[in-house]
Every structure is written in C-alpha cells, then in structure tokens.
Amino acid sequence: MKAQPSFFCYCNGVFLPLHEISLNPYDLGLLRGYAVFDVMSVENGKPFLLEEHWQRLVRSAETLCLMLPVTLQEYQDIIMELIAKNGGSDAPAISIRTVLSGGVAEDAYTPRVGQETFLILIEAAHKLPPSMYALGVKLLPLEYARQFSWAKVANHIASIRTLAEKREAGALEALYVSNGMVLEAATSNVALVRDGGIVVPADGVLAGITLEKVLALAAALHIPIERRTVTVAEFLQADEVFLTASNKRVVPVTRIGDTTIKDGKPGKVTRQLMAAFDEFVKQY
C-alpha cells in the first residue's frame, strides 16, 4: 500500500501524519512479529461496531500478555478525533487499523509490558469490485491452522507467501483447512448454506464481528444456524458458501479450488444476508 501522508494517524499518544510515524528497528512487531491488530470500518462517519472490536482487541492483547495503554472511552475519543482530522463526514471511505506490539526490546526478544507500541492508522477503504458480489469469488484451499486462532495476531506468513499462487488461480484469498476440516479464510470467516440453514465452523477460528452480526440478522429472518466442525467435503457439496469480514461485508463464494459450488451463482440465502447487512449498515 502506498503511503498516504494526508491521513492523520495516532502513534504512542501523538496525532501526526502517517509519513511522520517512525518505529525503532528493535520493536518486537518488526523483529519477531510479536503484535496483535484490528481492522474496523467507518460507516456514516462513525466507527462501526466499535465496542465489539475493542473487546476482541483486548482478548488478543491478553493472549500475547500485552497491555493496551488506553481505555475503551479513550480509544473511542481518539478514533473520533482521527475521523474529524481526516475530513469527518466529508472524508473519503476510510478504515481504522489498530496495532499493538511488544514494543522496543533491548535484547531483541523480551516485551516491555507497559511500554508497548500502540498505533491507530487511518487507511483508504479498499472495497471489492461490485462484480465479486454479483458473481461470487473463488477460494484456494491451503493446509494451515493458525496458532492462537481466537486472537488477531500479526502473523499472516502462510497466506502472504501464497499470494502469487492465488493470483494465478484467480482466487480472492486462501481457505484454511486442517485434517480435512474447514476453519476460516485468511482474512475472513466462512460459512455454508445447506437446505436453507447456515452451518458455521466452530473450532480453531477467529470470532468474527461481522459474522456474528450476520448471524444475528439471519436469526431475525428465521434462518436456522448450526455451529460445529465442518468437513471440506461438506463445503464442496454445499448449496451456498459465503465470506464475512469487516472490509468485505458478505461475499458469495462460488468456487473452492477446482470445485464449483452448486450452480456457480450466489444463492438465495447469501443474497438475503447481503441485503440485510447492507441495510443494517445504512441505518447504523
């Protein structure tokens, strides 16, 4: 991503343009990948589902024994000031990336609790093209299970190293599978639809904030929901498959590897959920 100097960001207690942020090369986020993060969209000039994102960020920080230097109220105040500094309601579409690392380690190894590096970055919102919502996307299976799957840790090595393979295959992202079970996509949650009901992988996955909201909307539509382990074979034989993520909303999946899902078109339930979530965002 190109530097965006017009965006004001937040670094260790200071508001400043992105291009003025500097990090010590002995920061554990750089040296060891010892960091957690969160990405949150901005909708109608407001951080979208902020409290849910905060709670997950807290869980992620606790997993790595890191300390967040702000409270929820301070976090919200900082974000609202950043939105204002970056144009407020007149700003271009933006998203918020929060990063917490182990901070500068003199021995290049030991986190300094209470002296973590804390960043809140403002980025242009990179929306998927409308064709992906209309026609669906492809996922490329990858044998991999994330360590500390309940936390958003910075390590995305497995997915990033296969970027060229995904581009060549025309896939949007990797679908993590392990021992014949589907887990999650590299930057999204996944679910399938079978006989009008939704089935969601329950173990070894990140608790997706967008997914939980989509499931709440599905429940309001009286769509059955089941959470359990799900085999790769079940996904390949599903009536529908879809992705959810903060930066994607709800995206139909019509191909997994060389397999076409059902008739290769976005299904009825997925389209219902797309419309319901879009309306929820509009009214947020």
Side-chain angles (χ1 to χ4, degrees):
M1 186 182 68
K2 294 181 180 179
Q4 299 167 82
S6 62
F7 285 149
F8 271 86
C9 300
Y10 180 91
C11 177
N12 293 335
V14 180
F15 293 91
L16 72 173
L18 175 62
H19 70 281
E20 293 184 13
I21 292 177
S22 62
L23 295 179
N24 188 304
Y26 278 86
D27 189 290
L28 282 176
L30 296 172
L31 285 181
R32 306 289 183 182
Y34 201 79
V36 297
F37 74 102
D38 181 81
V39 178
M40 176 169 39
S41 64
V42 175
E43 306 291 350
N44 308 319
K46 297 179 290 186
F48 186 61
L49 302 175
L50 182 142
E51 187 167 345
E52 291 89 338
H53 280 273
W54 168 260
Q55 291 169 351
R56 190 175 64 184
L57 181 61
V58 169
R59 292 195 299 271
S60 297
E62 289 174 346
T63 298
L64 268 60
C65 302
L66 299 177
M67 182 185 299
L68 281 159
V70 296
T71 64
L72 170 57
Q73 185 60 58
E74 290 168 337
Y75 185 55
Q76 179 173 320
D77 292 344
I78 292 166
I79 287 174
M80 293 307 297
E81 185 164 349
L82 283 173
I83 292 172
K85 284 180 176 292
N86 287 286
S89 58
D90 296 326
I94 58 175
S95 61
I96 300 163
R97 181 181 301 273
T98 303
V99 181
L100 179 72
S101 84
V104 178
E106 294 178 356
D107 64 354
Y109 201 83
T110 306
R112 300 174 68 184
V113 177
Q115 298 183 54
E116 291 86 349
T117 297
F118 184 59
L119 304 170
I120 304 178
L121 308 175
I122 300 298
E123 304 173 351
H126 300 288
K127 297 183 180 296
L128 297 179
S131 60
M132 290 190 176
Y133 296 95
L135 303 176
V137 300
K138 177 181 179 179
L139 301 180
L140 189 65
L142 176 64
E143 185 72 23
Y144 180 67
R146 289 193 309 114
Q147 190 177 21
F148 308 118
S149 58
W150 59 89
K152 281 186 77 75
V153 297
N155 181 354
H156 276 247
I157 293 172
S159 176
I160 292 172
R161 69 186 294 272
T162 62
L163 281 174
E165 183 181 351
K166 282 180 287 186
R167 281 194 291 265
E168 184 177 349
L172 177 64
E173 60 179 314
L175 176 67
Y176 293 157
V177 301
S178 180
N179 298 318
M181 300 295 176
V182 169
L183 301 175
E184 57 194 350
T187 63
S188 311
N189 289 101
V190 294
L192 66 83
V193 178
R194 191 73 181 265
D195 299 326
I198 299 170
V199 183
V200 182
D203 300 316
V205 302
L206 183 71
I209 292 165
T210 300
L211 174 63
E212 291 306 316
K213 179 52 64 178
V214 167
L215 294 180
L217 294 169
L221 293 169
H222 306 291
I223 299 172
I225 298 165
E226 187 178 2
R227 299 174 188 261
R228 58 175 173 81
T229 56
V230 189
T231 66
V232 174
E234 285 181 276
F235 260 84
L236 298 181
Q237 295 165 10
D239 296 329
E240 307 173 36
V241 175
F242 62 87
L243 296 174
T244 63
S246 293
N247 61 345
K248 301 182 185 74
R249 300 191 181 184
V250 182
V251 185
V253 175
T254 51
R255 288 185 64 81
I256 298 176
D258 295 328
T259 300
T260 299
I261 304 302
K262 203 67 174 180
D263 62 0
K265 298 177 182 179
K268 177 183 176 181
V269 172
T270 300
R271 287 185 277 110
Q272 274 185 290
L273 297 175
M274 291 167 65
F277 192 81
D278 287 348
E279 182 60 26
F280 176 78
V281 173
K282 182 179 177 182
Q283 300 297 327
Y284 186 77

